Amino acid sequence: MFTKMKNIDSAFRYVRIFSIVFIIACTIISLFIAYKSYQLASLSQQKIFILANGKALEAYSADRKDNVPVEAKDHVKMFHQYFFTLDPDEKVIDANITKALYLADGSAKRQYDNLKETSYYSSIISGNISQQISIDSITVSMNAESYLFHCYATIRIIRPNSIVTRNLITQGYLRNTSRSDNNPHGFLIERWETIENKDIKTESRWNYLRKI
């Protein structure tokens, strides 16, 4: 009888030990699964998918301070491309200038008004002229709150019978603003001015076409 009692007591201890070990193992597994789920959720939040030309492209989020120089240069590039890319179509000109003016302050608006007063845009339309800009380089000084930039570019003015190539240098300052659909980088160009805008060469359009 005592032997049976000892066997029952031993069996009970084994069951209790097994239960404790099982509970500890389940707890460890649950904590591990929770940790991995949190880690996976954090990684997934850092992924950004951009839809371009019907394709989903994966990107990764990062602190803005890591991308400020890149975003600043791209902001300057976008502004100059919108402001100086012109075709003999009033709607195209208005659309591009509108996009450009969202990225800059009144200094850009004054340059636009000056060009408009001198009938520059009317001449573009009446003369069937196209204007294209190629950005050579952009420098941005990140040492102050307002970032000083210089943009070095080449402008090609395509007329019916000739192509004029100009050297363009501009400068200005970048101020942080809120991001929006019209201003995706969250910068505003201030005190923008043209330092140099002079002809480099003029060539016959047909000679140029033969070269290419």
Side-chain angles (χ1 to χ4, degrees), residues 83-84 86 93 97 107-124 131 155 166 192 194 197:
F83 195 90
F84 290 103
L86 305 172
I93 293 174
I97 295 297
S107 59
K109 179 66 164 56
R110 284 192 295 273
Q111 291 209 33
Y112 165 68
D113 289 338
N114 290 337
L115 290 171
K116 192 172 183 180
E117 287 178 5
T118 59
S119 301
Y120 185 78
Y121 299 107
S122 298
S123 299
I124 291 283
Q131 181 173 285
I155 291 179
R166 286 182 178 173
W192 180 59
T194 300
N197 186 9

Side-chain angles (χ1 to χ4, degrees), residues 43-44 46-51 55-61:
L43 289 174
S44 64
Q46 294 178 1
K47 292 183 179 180
I48 303 171
F49 292 93
I50 303 171
L51 187 63
K55 296 181 180 179
L57 305 178
E58 184 178 336
Y60 289 88
S61 62

Side-chain angles (χ1 to χ4, degrees), residues 156 161 163 203-212:
R156 293 172 64 247
N161 296 316
I163 296 177
E203 58 185 325
S204 167
R205 185 181 173 194
W206 311 116
N207 290 337
Y208 175 82
L209 292 175
R210 279 198 291 269
K211 290 179 183 178
I212 60 175

Side-chain angles (χ1 to χ4, degrees), residues 51-147:
L51 187 63
N53 298 324
K55 296 181 180 179
L57 305 178
E58 184 178 336
Y60 289 88
S61 62
D63 293 335
R64 191 189 185 194
K65 63 181 181 180
D66 298 331
N67 292 323
V68 165
V70 176
E71 290 198 67
K73 290 181 180 180
D74 197 53
H75 183 90
V76 174
K77 180 180 179 181
M78 284 177 57
F79 168 77
H80 284 79
Q81 286 179 336
Y82 286 139
F83 195 90
F84 290 103
T85 299
L86 305 172
D87 282 307
D89 186 315
E90 186 176 0
K91 291 183 178 180
V92 172
I93 293 174
D94 289 343
N96 285 349
I97 295 297
T98 299
K99 291 176 183 178
L101 295 182
Y102 275 117
L103 307 179
D105 69 352
S107 59
K109 179 66 164 56
R110 284 192 295 273
Q111 291 209 33
Y112 165 68
D113 289 338
N114 290 337
L115 290 171
K116 192 172 183 180
E117 287 178 5
T118 59
S119 301
Y120 185 78
Y121 299 107
S122 298
S123 299
I124 291 283
I125 296 171
S126 61
N128 290 320
I129 299 169
S130 293
Q131 181 173 285
Q132 301 172 349
I133 184 171
S134 176
I135 306 297
D136 300 323
S137 65
I138 297 170
T139 62
V140 181
S141 174
M142 312 302 298
N143 298 325
E145 184 177 349
S146 294
Y147 311 129

